[in-house]
Amino acid sequence: VRIDRSDAPSSDALGRGKRSIVLDLKTQAATLVALCKTADVLIDPYRPGVLEKLRLGPEVLCEVNPRLIFARLTGFGQSGEYKSNAGHDINYLALS
């Protein structure tokens, strides 16, 4: 199950009918925690520290489900001078 942002419609052409729900993680964090109880993998697409600020980091969610694989996807990694920058193709091209 994919969780989409509440403030933007999904334009994922590769979704191909896969199930998704919309969550506002600031107000519906408990729903994510409940989903993680039975999930195998959570992919964190946010910039470093975002889920921790929402108290939804790996320390919290892996305590709920110790078998949960908590994967992070960031454009520039978790450390380094560009770690807080948005990672989009245009950003990578500008730096290369």
Side-chain angles (χ1 to χ4, degrees), residues 50-71:
V50 170
L51 287 181
E52 282 78 3
K53 286 180 186 175
L54 296 170
R55 294 186 176 96
L56 296 170
E59 312 79 32
V60 174
L61 297 179
C62 290
E63 186 175 314
V64 171
N65 178 357
R67 296 179 53 119
L68 181 69
I69 297 169
F70 197 102

